[in-house]
Amino acid sequence: MLKPLSVDCSRRLRGLFEDASYTEPGVRGYLGAAELPSRQLRNHSRLLDRTSSGTQLDTLLRWFWLWQAQARAVSADRVSGELLSLLLESGLLEIDGDNFIPAAMLLPIQGFLVASDHPQAIESKQAEMVLWPNPTSKFLARFAVRRHSRATLDLGTGSGILSLGAAGHSDQVVATDLNPRAVTFAQFNARLNGIENIQVLPGDCFAPVAGRRFDLILSNPPFFITPQTDYLFCENSMELDGLCRRLVKEAPEYLYEGGYLQMLCEWAQVKGQSWEDRLAEWLQGTGCDAWVMKGLTQDPEEYAQHRIRETSEDSSRDAGHYDGYMAYYRQRNVEAIHDGLIVMRRRQGQNWVRIEEVPKTPSGDLGDMIVSTFAAHDLLGENEADEKLLAIRPKLAGHVRLEQICDQAHGQWRAESLTLRLISGFPFHITVQPLVAEFLATCDGNRTAEQAIQDFAVTANAPLEVVRTESLAMIRKLIERGFIVAA
């Protein structure tokens, strides 16, 4: 079992790993890619060859990346005595006869050093395995709201990677997990990375934090929609997507006014109900504004194959697993399975819900994009009446660009289309006419919308009332999408 070191010993251990270049860029450069050993990738031989020089870094990588036992006599010559002593004291390394064997995987990520179980734990069907920081946790971390938080909750913390990232902008972080091994790993990782404002509690869903409230709740729960519960980190015992629905319904009670819930999830589409209507029911009556961003859609057959490949290395059992999955989906009339991100903000008053499919390649500060999108809806709500919207001073956001595509004809370039595009956040785009593009360029925050529209009507030689009506509709749309802000 891992044993948290003292603050000073943890600092020394991190420093020794950094000195050995066991860092995210160091490992990526040394291995050629920061990929873990995988039977599917069949990369074990290549990684063994990459770590065959006998250096201290080779030794560390073979322990904590490749999960290799190594001879004590040889290892002692390659690794400093201080580092070896700290690894043994922390429980990261154990003695087994003439060998040193690793007790955890160590992943350098986002400036942290994170201990978890090794991927081989999936092969051994270890139900309480603690997953390494994987693509879903990295994805949620990119979207996390990073404004100051009095208290942040990491619900279903796993290795604690989201807590580590939230600690820098939170007075206190509370991390919870049903898995007792995850609690141990999260506590260990907080100390290993020198972070003292994380409290780790065992328990299911919101039970460990009953009566408490938070400015931010992050959750990457075990949302797989499967007929079994082999692994705590990805599967749960509730029917279909019932766990995610439960978290959406219960979360508002644990949010301060203005607090956010950000949760990755999957949900089923069942016969006779659209996926939008299913989510709308989850969000009804929560007292929260909500933005649902749908990502990937898979049919049940594709989903079953994908999940079996992720959680089973024994291909001889694939047929039985697949039949079990498909019987489960057919009995429940599942037509498709969707994934995405749900963001909720607790707010008094009439709440809004935005459910949509979003582009797959967001960029930039996505936490800031979340906050600015909710602020845009606030702006529209506060200026719902035309006369109020006409009084704002509209300004194109700094991440808006106008793209022109030209076609070559008769020895010259001819403008074919103009597209207004966001270069940060989701790459939303809108096709505009040249006169509209010129009008938007005048939206610089110095004039009211009414003043800009009056000048636009003159330029367009069109009736003011018609231009006003059409311009206000366009301004509302551009505010909602983040193209226009109020100066």
Side-chain angles (χ1 to χ4, degrees):
M1 187 65 76
L2 298 179
K3 300 178 285 291
L5 298 169
S6 68
V7 173
D8 181 62
C9 286
S10 296
R11 177 185 56 77
R12 286 160 49 205
L13 182 57
R14 291 196 312 275
L16 290 168
F17 270 88
E18 291 173 4
D19 292 343
S21 294
Y22 199 102
T23 61
E24 193 168 6
V27 169
R28 184 183 296 110
Y30 198 73
L31 296 180
E35 62 186 28
L36 298 174
S38 164
R39 286 187 181 181
Q40 293 177 7
L41 296 176
R42 297 190 175 183
N43 61 357
H44 197 269
S45 296
R46 183 184 72 80
L47 294 173
L48 279 176
D49 181 61
R50 280 277 188 169
T51 57
S52 60
S53 301
T55 65
Q56 180 169 258
L57 181 57
D58 289 326
T59 306
L60 295 175
L61 286 169
R62 287 198 169 191
W63 277 331
F64 303 116
W65 201 272
L66 301 184
W67 201 248
Q68 295 284 307
Q70 297 181 83
R72 291 171 61 184
V74 175
S75 302
D77 290 336
R78 296 176 176 175
V79 177
S80 73
E82 181 184 18
L83 177 53
L84 195 58
S85 175
L86 291 170
L87 290 173
L88 290 168
E89 182 183 348
S90 66
L92 287 167
L93 204 61
E94 298 174 347
I95 296 174
D96 182 17
D98 293 331
N99 293 322
F100 287 126
I101 61 171
M105 184 179 72
L106 282 175
L107 189 69
I109 179 172
Q110 299 170 8
F112 303 114
L113 195 58
V114 180
S116 69
D117 282 317
H118 194 271
Q120 288 184 5
I122 289 182
E123 301 173 27
S124 60
K125 288 290 183 182
Q126 183 177 319
E128 294 183 348
M129 72 167 289
V130 177
L131 193 68
W132 54 97
N134 68 336
T136 58
S137 56
K138 295 176 186 177
F139 183 82
L140 182 54
R142 289 188 63 202
F143 279 88
V145 171
R146 299 190 182 277
R147 64 179 187 174
H148 171 253
S149 170
R150 291 165 291 181
T152 295
L153 173 62
D154 177 10
L155 184 69
T157 188
S159 67
I161 182 60
L162 293 174
S163 294
L164 299 177
H169 59 86
S170 306
D171 294 338
Q172 182 185 35
V173 177
V174 180
T176 66
D177 206 291
L178 178 64
N179 183 354
R181 295 188 74 250
V183 172
T184 298
F185 272 89
Q187 290 171 331
F188 180 87
N189 286 327
R191 177 60 62 84
L192 177 60
N193 289 280
I195 297 175
E196 297 296 320
N197 62 335
I198 297 177
Q199 178 187 22
V200 188
L201 301 174
D204 188 23
C205 294
F206 290 101
V209 292
R212 301 173 70 169
R213 289 197 174 182
F214 301 89
D215 286 318
L216 177 64
I217 299 175
L218 300 171
S219 186
N220 182 14
F223 51 65
F224 283 12
I225 299 175
T226 62
Q228 74 280 322
T229 56
D230 291 340
Y231 300 101
L232 287 176
F233 76 87
C234 61
E235 296 167 333
N236 68 85
S237 60
M238 296 189 71
E239 184 77 0
L240 292 177
D241 46 25
L243 174 64
C244 293
R245 180 185 183 276
R246 173 185 172 182
L247 296 178
V248 165
K249 291 292 189 182
E250 293 181 1
E253 181 182 345
Y254 299 90
L255 288 171
Y256 285 119
E257 179 74 4
Y260 285 88
L261 164 74
Q262 298 181 264
M263 183 180 76
L264 288 177
C265 69
E266 292 181 343
W267 61 92
Q269 180 177 321
V270 297
K271 187 175 182 179
Q273 182 186 40
S274 71
W275 66 266
E276 294 96 335
D277 287 345
R278 189 175 187 85
L279 287 178
E281 186 278 325
W282 294 10
L283 297 161
Q284 186 177 5
T286 60
C288 291
D289 302 316
W291 185 16
V292 178
M293 292 156 267
K294 186 182 84 67
L296 180 67
T297 295
Q298 299 179 77
D299 60 43
E301 295 88 349
E302 180 185 14
Y303 183 86
Q305 178 180 331
H306 181 65
R307 290 304 180 216
I308 291 168
R309 185 172 66 245
E310 280 189 329
T311 57
S312 176
E313 294 285 350
D314 185 0
S315 60
S316 66
R317 302 178 62 189
D318 283 0
H321 284 314
Y322 184 82
D323 289 345
Y325 270 72
M326 294 311 300
Y328 181 77
Y329 300 140
R330 287 170 182 143
Q331 290 168 8
R332 291 155 180 80
N333 296 314
V334 175
E335 296 180 327
I337 296 173
H338 310 282
D339 69 22
L341 175 65
I342 295 179
V343 182
M344 300 168 62
R345 181 189 61 175
R346 180 167 174 166
R347 182 178 65 84
Q348 292 182 354
Q350 184 175 355
N351 297 119
W352 53 266
V353 173
R354 174 170 162 181
I355 301 174
E356 62 183 337
E357 186 168 2
V358 293
K360 302 298 189 293
T361 55
S363 62
D365 188 335
L366 303 183
D368 183 65
M369 178 199 69
I370 295 292
V371 173
S372 63
T373 299
F374 278 74
H377 279 272
D378 290 343
L379 179 63
L380 290 174
E382 294 163 1
N383 297 279
E384 188 173 0
D386 285 354
E387 59 269 21
K388 286 191 173 182
L389 190 61
L390 287 168
I392 73 166
R393 297 181 181 272
K395 179 181 179 181
L396 281 176
H399 55 289
V400 174
R401 298 292 183 270
L402 182 68
E403 297 178 353
Q404 182 179 50
I405 295 178
C406 298
D407 183 29
Q408 183 182 5
H410 307 298
Q412 60 183 355
W413 293 106
R414 181 182 60 191
E416 189 174 81
S417 65
L418 288 173
T419 302
L420 208 62
R421 188 179 302 276
L422 297 179
I423 61 170
S424 181
F426 289 113
F428 292 124
H429 61 277
I430 298 174
T431 300
V432 295
Q433 297 299 317
L435 273 178
V436 173
E438 291 180 16
F439 162 67
L440 293 174
T442 69
C443 293
D444 56 6
N446 292 319
R447 299 185 301 168
T448 65
E450 173 67 11
Q451 291 169 333
I453 289 170
Q454 288 177 358
D455 289 347
F456 182 34
V458 173
T459 301
N461 193 26
L464 176 59
E465 290 304 315
V466 173
V467 173
R468 182 183 287 119
T469 299
E470 294 179 353
S471 295
L472 286 177
M474 177 181 60
I475 288 173
R476 286 189 171 95
K477 182 178 181 180
L478 292 176
I479 289 174
E480 181 182 357
R481 282 299 185 201
F483 289 88
I484 283 180
V485 298

